[in-house]
Amino acid sequence: MPFLPAIDLLYWRDIKQTGIVFGSFLLLLFSLTQFSVVSVVAYLALAALSATISFRIYKSVLQAVQKTDEGHPFKAYLELEITLSQEQIQKYTDCLQFYVNSTLKELRRLFLVQDLVDSLKFAVLMWLLTYVGALFNGLTLLLMAVVSMFTLPVVYVKHQAQIDQYLGLVRTHINAVVAKIQAKIPGAKRHAE
């Protein structure tokens, strides 16, 4: 069973594989709500070790009973090359460096008020996040994000016309409110262009 690209998982194109991935994410996140990260990692490692050791013993006993010489049951996986090349490491490092630098430049621009309207939008966002943080912890938000990732794309595809209609209405209303606010803030007219 080949691994599906992420977009195929999110659109449930292979229900069995998506269910396994989605269920695994939910199980992991619900486990983290009850236990520490160290405990969850330890239990997952113990479960994996129990499965592989049991399978190895089972195959060894089966080979002894049938008097065959099939070898190690995980030989194909043991021989797989899993190291990252220098080029791959450099590519990922360059990508990470680009995102870190872009984020730092944007935060500098927002915090040092290079553009008043953008800094005010950022301030409103941070103020709203204080309320979100008071209602939910990070793990709950992560759980909601995972559930949303696996449900919202399918809901959108099934009800695209209605959703687009309502989003258009909301966008029109937001643009009207922003235009009124920008009309009251001196120097904000250039942002509307």
Side-chain angles (χ1 to χ4, degrees):
M1 176 168 65
F3 183 71
L4 292 174
I7 196 76
D8 290 342
L9 287 173
L10 297 180
Y11 281 103
W12 292 76
R13 293 192 177 124
D14 181 352
I15 294 175
K16 183 179 177 183
Q17 194 164 14
T18 300
I20 290 170
V21 171
F22 183 49
S24 299
F25 271 129
L26 286 180
L27 181 64
L28 175 67
L29 291 174
F30 280 127
S31 298
L32 288 173
T33 63
Q34 300 299 315
F35 305 105
S36 71
V37 174
V38 174
S39 295
V40 170
V41 169
Y43 284 129
L44 288 174
L46 281 172
L49 275 172
S50 297
T52 55
I53 290 171
S54 299
F55 186 71
R56 171 78 193 271
I57 292 171
Y58 167 75
K59 289 299 260 183
S60 297
V61 169
L62 196 61
Q63 286 175 18
V65 169
Q66 294 178 346
K67 297 190 184 343
T68 60
D69 189 26
E70 295 176 14
H72 196 288
F74 298 117
K75 184 177 182 182
Y77 297 109
L78 289 170
E79 293 173 351
L80 281 177
E81 186 65 36
I82 59 169
T83 58
L84 288 174
S85 68
Q86 186 66 31
E87 294 81 28
Q88 289 173 317
I89 293 172
Q90 187 65 42
K91 181 180 91 171
Y92 294 133
T93 305
D94 291 345
C95 185
L96 178 66
Q97 179 185 12
F98 171 76
Y99 285 118
V100 168
N101 287 338
S102 298
T103 302
L104 289 174
K105 286 179 185 176
E106 186 64 20
L107 288 173
R108 178 183 64 186
R109 190 181 76 77
L110 292 169
F111 279 107
L112 298 179
V113 195
Q114 182 177 354
D115 185 336
L116 180 63
V117 174
D118 285 347
S119 292
L120 287 174
K121 288 178 188 177
F122 184 65
V124 169
L125 176 66
M126 291 300 107
W127 178 69
L128 290 173
L129 284 178
T130 63
Y131 286 103
V132 171
L135 294 173
F136 306 106
N137 67 23
L139 197 54
T140 304
L141 291 174
L142 185 61
L143 187 61
M144 290 169 52
V146 167
V147 170
S148 297
M149 279 181 5
F150 281 92
T151 56
L152 293 181
V154 175
V155 170
Y156 179 74
V157 166
K158 288 184 180 180
H159 304 286
Q160 186 173 1
Q162 298 95 330
I163 292 171
D164 286 346
Q165 177 186 356
Y166 288 117
L167 283 177
L169 292 172
V170 168
R171 188 176 297 123
T172 303
H173 185 68
I174 288 174
N175 288 341
V177 170
V178 168
K180 286 180 186 177
I181 292 172
Q182 286 178 342
K184 295 182 188 250
I185 297 175
K189 297 262 190 228
R190 63 179 164 71
H191 234 312
E193 298 170 352

